[in-house]
Amino acid sequence: MSHPLEQLREDALREIESESDEKSLDAVRVRYLGRNGSISAWGEKMKTLSAAERPVIGKLLNEVRNAVTAALDARSEEFRAQKESESLGRIDISLPGATGASGYSGYSEYSGFSTPLTGYSGFVPLERGSLHPLTQMLERSIEIFRRMGFALADGPDIEDEWHCFDALNTPPEHPARNEQDTFFLRDGRLLRTHTSTVQIRAMQAAPPPIRVIAPGAAYRRDELDATHSPQFHQIEGLYVDENVSVADLKGALEFFMRELFGPDTAVQFRPHFFPFTEPSLEVYVKSKALKGGEQWIEVAGSGVVHPAVFEQVNEARGDKAYDPEKWSGYAFGLGMDRLAMILFDIPDIRLFAQNDLRFLRQFA
Amino acid sequence: MKFSINWLREFVGLPKNPEETADLLTRAGVETENIETRGSKIDNVIVSQITASSRHPNADRLTVCEVDDGSGTKRQIVCGAKNYKVGDKVALALPGAKLPNGLEIRKSKLRGVESEGMLCSPIELGLGEDASGLLILSPEAKIGVPISDLFPSDTILDVEITPNRGDLLSHFGLAREIAALTRKKLKSMPPESKVPIRKTGVTITSTRECPFFSLRRIDQVTVGPSPQWLRAKIESVGIRSISNIVDISNFVMLELGQPTHAFDADKLKGAINVRFARDGEKFLALDGKTYSLKPDNCVVADEERAVGIGGVMGGEETGVTDSTKNILLEAAYFLPASIRHTARELNLPSDASYRFERGVDPGMIFRASARVTELIREIAGGTPAKEIQAAGKLPANPPDVSLSYEKCDRVVGVAIKPKTVDGILTGFGLSKSKRTSKSANWKIPGYRRDLQRDVDLIEEVVRAYGADKIPGTDRSRVMPSSAADRSHDIESTLRERLVAHGLSEVRTSKLIPRNAPAFSENAIVLQNPLSEDHVALRPSLLSGLLGVFERNLRAGAERVALFELGRVFAPPDVREERRAGFLVWGKRVSDPHWRAADQGRLDFFDLKGAVESVFPDKLSFQRSTHPSLSMAAEIYDNNQLIGIAGQLSTLSLKIDAPGGVFVAELSLDLPIKGLGSRATFREFGKFPAIIRDIAMIVSEELTHEKILKVIFHENPSWLERVEFFDQFVGEEAARRFGPKKKSLAYRLTYRDRSRTLTSEEVTAAHARIRERLQRELGAELRE
């Protein structure tokens, strides 16, 4: 035979289900759980039970109380949602949107149902919006490169191993092929670890000469800290033409850095190693505007495109368009987050993705 | 890798100031990341011996040591370290000593017990990074002698060696590079081995992975602690001292770059074979862990079992111990790719695998074996076998590389004299085999397997010539704008419009947490996420915007109006799509201002206005439903569904936000195509306009859209504009106009392009519109 408490639970749940508004639901709550409610009354009754019964009934009482409370809350939530969408249901969404300060949307040579018409001014001009500092950094960089004759190129964030490694002269088991730093999808594809993948895509798509930059996201399996983020932003550059040299590369990046950091910027190129360029150079700048001009700051990787990269591209294209004896090129990669941190004196890379308005407004 | 300047000086002359050496290397692409001075300014610290040790009466973690400082009287020192035993020689800082870290030593009472000085750890003396216990000195160290006699001052360079330069992973190798860059001669070369080689006693099954393997037997050695100089030398570059035999093997690896390994000969059963592991073969390595091997791992095995993972790590059971008498010394060459594969597959990187996977110098194998043998004989005694047992073949010399001087000039961008090029390459150990005036064939030394084609030689020229000496040229070429240019420009325009509209741009992570807020259902999950915060690719911009909203709300924001333009990864095929996301909430004006009285709160029509500002005259909104929205609209561009908008249901928010939160998201891939088309001029009306208003009471459900449709049904060509300018809805309206009624007001502007309208014709047309509103919509017109 079921315990009276179990019976109470059954009754309560049934009543909760059958009530149709908040008010009657409140009445149910009072009836069962109020100070004189029939479930609450059992709290008093506990005192009269034997020591053997008490823990068993105590446990049951708790269960019943919790079950009924949960059912009441859920039902009340339902009413709230219902009420919310009912009141919202009366709103006529076809009314014109608030169009901002100007208030005038031009002629209405009526062409459809939604011709925007003048409404009140919703966003008063006192509130300004702002561009994200990374966007500003990207826009500024793109503007400089465009002045130098570069067009934009684009490629996917999700890549295959060939575009990310093999085509860039980093075959399997190459010490620079850092799969441990790479995010993989379950289908075997990966998130590009650098925007250099767009070099390959641009060359696959068109024969030389080619002069492109590719802004975009890149991903590395790094722990998030003040200077590392698993997703960051780069601008890749590629120029392939006849007789492109280290001197051309230096001239281009020196120009860029001076445009960006000011004419007194000193630029230094230090030999380095990247599998897909030979020679490879790391780029450092020193400028009064940056940390008092005390130290060389690393800002980019660059180099002359390795002939093995051209050979891989030719193989994929099925022609000899990128004949390493005829064409040469330079490539570079700039870390946008890092450049923005340097230029705007931002101490922590995490601020970019947090998007605190107090941060964003500083760059409005 | 860490390099000792003193050690480098054994092979090559260096400038007095180590900074100059660091700078020279950095400018040549061998970046020095850190410079550290060791062992200077250690006064009043002497060698002492612990003669007794007892527990501190008042502190469990401390001990009280009795120490012999050579003065005849014993000192009592309180000590917190655990790594010593009675009899050990240790560094004792006497009262009055000032340690390199600034600490001044005084006689003092520690928890009630007198301490007459301090026993030091390596880090306290500036002799290493080890802070885990006392610096234990060699047993041969003389008691009472100043520590500075044992540790001559030195400078340690921490150098980043790029993966193509395995030849620089030793003091000799780096010295050779410095010699080449400074055009100096090396002071000494490791001598050639003269020990005869017999192809016996060893076999190789996995000949590709291990082309060459050698063993030399050394009998009757005495294993014990290393002498002080050896200990100091390896510890200065971060290798712990273990025993004389192991230390010697490490020392030679640090000196010459060739890893070697010593087996306890008496623990091996039968002959050595280098073979592939059996699938699942268990191996207990020197690090104390058991590894389960795969058939592509190459192992060194005796007749019974694997005794070493070739080139990676030796086995625990056959390693050298205190009781070892006879040893077999391995020196071999392993295929770099195979070593890398095995070390990564087993997650077992070691100093040996690090070098083998970057390629060791085959010419150094016998030299290293001889050097280890010689040092063992010197330090641990023993009789080396007259012969080396070996199998396999050393890898052939790398092929010659031909370089045309003209190509070199072309790639570098300046003319460099052939004589200078020759001088640089000869300095790096290359030799010319054939030469014309235009080009030369270069013989590549065995340690520079990274030099495979002409551009590799050109890089060497740039490194030694100096990148600074190459003047930058301003070479240009113009390119027509691309599809990417156009979509970039359109997005820039959209951003500007939204900023002008009062929204702030955000950029959220494309990687979202496992328990992201709403709008992250069916997100594609990474196979190898690193943290719970970056687990999946965002399928929508809205989950990120919600996160930003919640963060700002917690920070006390009163108005949050955001947008983001960016890529999402739409399930199920993870298609990459450009989208625009919007979120508005809170007060219209966040700060009080004399011109801005209370403007109320941002609502759905502010959101709609923001969305429409991006694509003016293009979009329509249709009622819909969405699990996370308590009011939802679909956004159409013509008849194409391109996005959603609505008010967030309170259930999908993790935080209590007063008032409604409004969000929208739309694809930029579709409508963007129609954007950027140029506007064309239309004649504006020269003739006067006639303006008439209509105010009406209609049913609450009647939409603006339907009313417009009726008004425009008449469509006189001179109805120029219709503006909705007032509404009165809600309970108060119902009370005044009847249940479920509302009042609306429209302004109609009439103007013809070619003539002045007469009042009569406008009145007639206006009356027709009024009449149609009454008839078709049941509108009750107000005067």
Side-chain angles (χ1 to χ4, degrees):
Chain A
M1 202 191 86
S2 73
H3 192 270
L5 260 172
E6 288 170 354
Q7 188 58 49
L8 270 177
R9 169 167 58 188
E10 240 172 73
D11 295 345
L13 294 184
R14 201 177 45 243
E15 283 178 45
I16 290 166
E17 200 47 49
S18 65
E19 293 305 348
S20 57
D21 60 51
E22 190 71 45
K23 209 168 148 194
S24 43
L25 193 69
D26 274 344
V28 177
R29 194 185 290 269
V30 171
R31 217 152 52 236
Y32 286 91
L33 299 173
R35 190 177 301 176
N36 300 317
S38 43
I39 292 176
S40 312
W42 275 86
E44 279 300 306
K45 279 187 204 159
M46 290 289 291
K47 293 177 190 153
T48 65
L49 296 177
S50 71
E53 267 183 312
R54 210 173 291 157
V56 183
I57 303 302
K59 189 161 165 265
L60 179 63
L61 175 59
N62 254 334
E63 280 170 18
V64 171
R65 193 186 284 132
N66 291 342
V68 173
T69 309
L72 281 164
D73 290 348
R75 188 79 174 132
S76 153
E77 199 66 73
E78 251 172 64
F79 287 148
R80 220 173 93 191
Q82 215 170 27
K83 208 171 138 196
E84 195 175 67
S85 50
E86 259 168 36
S87 72
L88 294 171
R90 286 205 290 275
I91 292 176
D92 174 7
I93 63 163
S94 71
L95 287 176
T99 52
S102 81
Y104 180 70
S105 319
Y107 280 79
S108 78
E109 284 182 63
Y110 187 68
S111 57
F113 300 145
S114 65
T115 308
L117 297 165
T118 334
Y120 61 93
S121 149
F123 291 94
V124 300
L126 292 173
E127 292 289 348
R128 264 177 315 180
S130 56
L131 279 180
H132 194 281
L134 272 174
T135 301
Q136 297 182 34
M137 187 69 229
L138 279 159
E139 292 282 333
R140 177 82 186 107
S141 306
I142 290 169
E143 184 189 309
I144 298 169
F145 282 122
R146 280 180 159 180
R147 290 185 52 211
M148 299 160 71
F150 284 87
L152 289 184
D154 198 10
D157 288 19
I158 299 175
E159 270 292 4
D160 49 46
E161 293 199 52
W162 186 80
H163 280 94
C164 198
F165 298 127
D166 305 68
L168 290 161
N169 197 28
T170 319
E173 305 308 340
H174 189 289
R177 180 163 171 147
N178 237 338
E179 280 123 340
Q180 263 160 348
D181 296 344
T182 308
F183 285 119
F184 283 90
L185 302 189
R186 291 198 170 129
D187 62 9
R189 289 186 295 165
L190 50 79
L191 299 182
R192 63 182 179 196
T193 54
H194 44 196
T195 43
S196 307
T197 52
V198 188
Q199 286 182 33
I200 304 300
R201 293 199 171 264
M203 290 192 277
Q204 279 181 280
I210 198 165
R211 191 169 169 94
V212 292
I213 51 164
Y219 305 80
R220 267 182 220 160
R221 240 174 128 247
D222 281 331
E223 289 286 359
L224 185 66
D225 63 26
T227 53
H228 297 87
S229 173
Q231 187 235 300
F232 52 97
H233 304 82
Q234 293 186 320
I235 287 188
E236 189 74 16
L238 174 70
Y239 175 41
V240 181
D241 208 331
E242 282 173 348
N243 299 329
V244 175
S245 68
V246 174
D248 297 330
L249 167 64
K250 278 192 74 178
L253 288 179
E254 279 167 355
F255 178 81
F256 175 83
M257 296 303 167
R258 290 192 182 122
E259 285 290 300
L260 190 66
F261 293 118
D264 69 334
T265 304
V267 188
Q268 193 182 77
F269 291 77
R270 297 182 189 166
H272 195 70
F273 169 75
F274 303 111
F276 37 95
T277 48
E278 188 84 61
S280 303
L281 298 158
E282 274 189 330
V283 188
Y284 289 73
V285 296
K286 198 152 92 169
S287 167
K288 264 191 221 126
L290 308 174
K291 305 189 172 170
E294 296 283 312
Q295 63 198 48
W296 289 105
I297 302 169
E298 185 197 330
V299 287
S302 68
V304 174
V305 180
H306 199 292
V309 174
F310 285 166
E311 282 155 12
Q312 288 284 332
V313 167
N314 284 337
E315 208 179 303
R317 289 175 58 94
D319 61 16
K320 288 278 283 174
Y322 286 85
D323 179 356
E325 289 310 311
K326 178 158 188 247
W327 302 96
S328 59
Y330 64 67
F332 54 82
L334 303 164
M336 284 293 111
D337 308 73
R338 197 175 149 67
L339 279 182
M341 286 170 78
I342 294 170
L343 201 63
F344 300 136
D345 220 358
I346 294 169
D348 192 322
I349 199 172
R350 287 170 289 204
L351 287 162
F352 290 129
Q354 286 170 354
N355 295 292
D356 193 309
L357 285 163
R358 293 166 298 182
F359 170 74
L360 300 176
R361 287 265 172 88
Q362 293 178 16
F363 305 95
Chain B
M1 179 183 165
K2 288 194 163 70
F3 291 90
S4 146
I5 286 280
N6 292 352
W7 200 340
L8 289 171
R9 282 211 167 98
E10 293 174 18
F11 296 107
V12 67
L14 297 180
K16 194 154 179 274
N17 183 357
E19 311 264 340
E20 280 178 48
T21 302
D23 194 48
L24 168 82
L25 288 168
T26 299
R27 300 297 285 275
V30 186
E31 192 184 345
T32 307
E33 293 176 322
N34 194 25
I35 304 177
E36 203 183 319
T37 314
R38 295 270 173 83
S40 62
K41 294 184 276 176
I42 315 178
D43 297 328
N44 286 321
V45 184
I46 58 165
V47 177
S48 67
Q49 187 170 31
I50 299 173
T51 49
S53 165
S54 59
R55 274 188 50 191
H56 191 291
N58 308 323
D60 286 348
R61 296 186 173 200
L62 299 177
T63 49
V64 181
C65 295
E66 184 193 80
V67 170
D68 179 359
D69 62 5
S71 67
T73 46
K74 300 279 168 72
R75 271 172 195 272
Q76 173 174 296
I77 311 281
V78 177
C79 170
K82 298 251 180 297
N83 67 323
Y84 66 88
K85 52 188 189 303
V86 171
D88 275 348
K89 303 237 174 106
V90 292
L92 168 66
L94 299 167
K98 193 172 175 192
L99 301 185
N101 65 6
L103 188 67
E104 278 183 60
I105 306 302
R106 281 191 302 260
K107 239 186 223 185
S108 60
K109 274 192 176 170
L110 284 168
R111 291 292 195 92
V113 176
E114 181 91 359
S115 185
E116 304 166 284
M118 184 176 104
L119 303 180
C120 304
S121 67
I123 198 166
E124 283 160 343
L125 295 172
L127 292 171
E129 284 98 73
D130 193 353
S132 65
L134 299 184
L135 170 66
I136 308 288
L137 303 167
S138 161
E140 68 187 28
K142 281 214 173 68
I143 295 169
V145 166
I147 288 291
S148 50
D149 287 6
L150 268 49
F151 295 93
S153 73
D154 195 359
T155 302
I156 305 299
L157 304 182
D158 198 346
V159 179
E160 184 203 340
I161 306 292
T162 54
N164 59 328
R165 294 302 303 273
D167 65 303
L168 300 184
L169 293 170
S170 69
H171 282 77
F172 173 71
L174 193 69
R176 181 167 56 195
E177 182 79 357
I178 294 169
L181 291 169
T182 54
R183 316 275 164 94
K184 279 198 180 122
K185 278 225 149 49
L186 283 169
K187 285 185 191 164
S188 71
M189 281 283 291
E192 289 269 15
S193 160
K194 299 204 175 66
V195 188
I197 291 135
R198 272 190 62 164
K199 296 279 179 113
T200 169
V202 192
T203 51
I204 303 174
T205 316
S206 51
T207 49
R208 197 177 81 90
E209 286 68 21
C210 177
F212 180 82
F213 189 89
S214 79
L215 288 172
R216 188 169 188 192
R217 193 177 169 97
I218 307 170
D219 287 331
Q220 298 303 317
V221 299
T222 311
V223 179
S226 288
Q228 183 58 40
W229 70 264
L230 176 57
R231 196 183 260 270
K233 218 157 179 179
I234 63 170
E235 284 178 347
S236 74
V237 292
I239 304 277
R240 255 175 189 263
S241 171
I242 294 165
S243 70
N244 52 7
I245 305 290
V246 177
D247 290 357
I248 289 167
S249 171
N250 282 332
F251 171 82
V252 171
M253 176 181 76
L254 295 169
E255 183 174 74
L256 303 180
Q258 168 72 37
T260 57
H261 177 71
F263 293 101
D264 185 327
D266 300 322
K267 288 180 189 152
L268 297 175
K269 311 267 174 14
I272 291 291
N273 177 32
V274 186
R275 61 166 168 85
F276 288 115
R278 289 181 290 272
D279 198 7
E281 186 171 354
K282 294 279 182 291
F283 177 75
L284 176 60
L286 270 173
D287 63 358
K289 291 184 195 149
T290 300
Y291 294 86
S292 179
L293 306 179
K294 299 236 168 72
D296 55 358
N297 303 143
C298 171
V299 297
V300 178
D302 65 8
E303 279 170 6
E304 289 183 352
R305 71 212 145 141
V307 295
I309 304 171
V312 180
M313 196 170 276
E316 174 74 22
E317 291 165 5
T318 54
V320 171
T321 64
D322 289 350
S323 58
T324 297
K325 288 280 165 272
N326 308 309
I327 62 172
L328 274 174
L329 178 70
E330 168 196 320
Y333 185 89
F334 294 95
L335 186 73
S338 160
I339 295 295
R340 179 170 159 90
H341 176 78
T342 297
R344 298 190 58 143
E345 190 171 79
L346 301 176
N347 193 16
L348 177 59
S350 66
D351 287 320
S353 73
Y354 191 74
R355 286 169 174 78
F356 280 122
E357 73 179 40
R358 282 159 173 76
V360 300
D361 175 10
M364 203 53 80
I365 294 174
F366 291 123
R367 288 182 162 104
S369 175
R371 178 87 166 124
V372 173
T373 308
E374 193 46 41
L375 285 169
I376 288 179
R377 226 165 48 85
E378 236 171 67
I379 292 167
T383 320
K386 295 276 180 290
E387 294 169 338
I388 289 177
Q389 303 167 294
K393 248 182 17 206
L394 285 173
N397 276 333
D400 289 2
V401 177
S402 157
L403 175 68
S404 122
Y405 297 107
E406 185 269 332
K407 168 115 185 238
C408 180
D409 290 350
R410 195 147 44 91
V411 170
V412 177
V414 286
I416 302 174
K417 287 197 190 84
K419 220 178 115 188
T420 312
V421 172
D422 289 1
I424 289 169
L425 294 179
T426 312
F428 281 117
L430 285 69
S431 50
K432 233 178 337 184
S433 60
K434 209 170 75 193
R435 176 187 175 171
T436 66
S437 59
K438 290 204 171 102
S439 70
N441 259 21
W442 291 92
K443 209 166 134 47
I444 309 297
Y447 53 89
R448 288 305 304 271
R449 276 161 209 278
D450 58 311
L451 303 180
Q452 292 167 356
R453 46 204 304 174
D454 53 6
V455 287
D456 298 322
L457 302 194
I458 294 170
E459 174 164 77
E460 295 309 292
V461 173
V462 170
R463 291 200 316 123
Y465 182 77
D468 289 354
K469 285 198 228 148
I470 305 168
T473 47
D474 50 354
R475 166 110 182 255
S476 203
R477 175 182 277 279
V478 289
M479 296 294 282
S481 60
S482 64
D485 276 302
R486 285 185 290 279
S487 57
H488 170 82
D489 290 346
I490 288 169
E491 285 190 19
S492 297
T493 309
L494 301 189
R495 283 195 179 93
E496 280 162 21
R497 284 185 193 169
L498 290 167
V499 168
H501 209 91
L503 279 76
S504 292
E505 189 202 17
V506 302
R507 296 180 83 104
T508 63
S509 177
K510 295 187 176 73
L511 299 173
I512 58 173
R514 197 180 296 282
N515 297 313
F519 303 102
S520 57
E521 297 80 13
N522 304 319
I524 301 300
V525 176
L526 299 173
Q527 196 208 328
N528 57 341
L530 193 58
S531 83
E532 287 294 294
D533 288 336
H534 304 97
V535 172
L537 287 163
R538 62 180 183 194
S540 156
L541 297 173
L542 295 181
S543 64
L545 288 175
L546 276 184
V548 173
F549 169 61
E550 284 169 13
R551 165 178 281 275
N552 279 294
L553 198 59
R554 285 201 181 90
E558 298 208 58
R559 174 186 184 275
V560 181
L562 312 170
F563 75 97
E564 176 168 12
L565 303 188
R567 224 170 255 207
V568 302
F569 305 86
D573 52 349
V574 236
R575 189 170 35 83
E576 295 184 29
E577 190 185 303
R578 310 274 323 167
R579 291 209 188 144
F582 304 79
L583 184 148
V584 302
W585 167 87
K587 296 183 179 170
R588 284 216 173 83
V589 183
S590 47
D591 301 317
H593 189 276
W594 68 284
R595 292 300 297 270
D598 182 19
Q599 297 260 345
R601 302 187 73 84
L602 294 167
D603 64 18
F604 179 77
F605 297 99
D606 293 304
L607 175 76
K608 189 178 178 190
V611 173
E612 286 173 335
S613 77
V614 174
F615 303 112
D617 302 343
K618 280 178 69 73
L619 307 178
S620 69
F621 289 67
Q622 306 289 332
R623 273 268 181 194
S624 175
T625 56
H626 187 279
S628 301
L629 300 175
S630 51
M631 177 186 56
E634 286 175 336
I635 306 174
Y636 288 85
D637 173 30
N638 288 322
N639 289 317
Q640 177 118 40
L641 176 65
I642 60 160
I644 55 157
Q647 178 173 351
L648 219 53
S649 85
T650 41
L651 299 180
S652 43
L653 268 177
K654 283 185 190 158
I655 184 169
D656 249 348
V661 182
F662 300 91
V663 294
E665 181 174 42
L666 61 162
S667 166
L668 291 181
D669 289 347
L670 299 164
I672 227 169
K673 293 199 181 100
L675 277 182
S677 55
R678 74 209 137 90
T680 49
F681 176 72
R682 282 173 299 187
E683 189 67 54
F684 29 78
K686 290 177 195 145
F687 298 94
I690 293 178
I691 292 168
R692 298 281 161 87
D693 290 351
I694 297 178
M696 57 188 146
I697 294 161
V698 295
S699 153
E700 208 177 54
E701 284 101 54
L702 189 63
T703 64
H704 172 64
E705 194 171 68
K706 281 197 185 124
I707 294 168
L708 280 184
K709 205 170 171 181
V710 170
I711 292 176
F712 278 103
H713 194 270
E714 283 293 320
N715 203 17
S717 65
W718 26 267
L719 175 54
E720 184 183 272
R721 284 201 282 160
V722 178
E723 287 149 314
F724 170 69
F725 70 90
D726 195 22
Q727 72 166 349
F728 187 21
V729 288
E731 279 169 28
E732 176 64 18
R735 214 157 42 73
R736 281 181 47 188
F737 312 126
K740 300 215 164 206
K741 294 282 186 192
K742 63 182 174 186
S743 165
L744 305 175
Y746 287 83
R747 167 159 299 173
L748 282 66
T749 304
Y750 296 94
R751 190 204 307 269
D752 192 87
R753 298 227 172 135
S754 52
R755 64 190 174 89
T756 302
L757 294 173
T758 65
S759 178
E760 292 70 30
E761 59 188 336
V762 169
T763 303
H766 196 68
R768 279 199 299 280
I769 290 171
R770 288 169 60 96
E771 190 248 337
R772 194 177 277 277
L773 287 168
Q774 283 171 312
R775 195 176 64 235
E776 291 184 12
L777 303 176
E780 180 188 328
L781 297 176
R782 306 169 75 199
E783 294 310 321

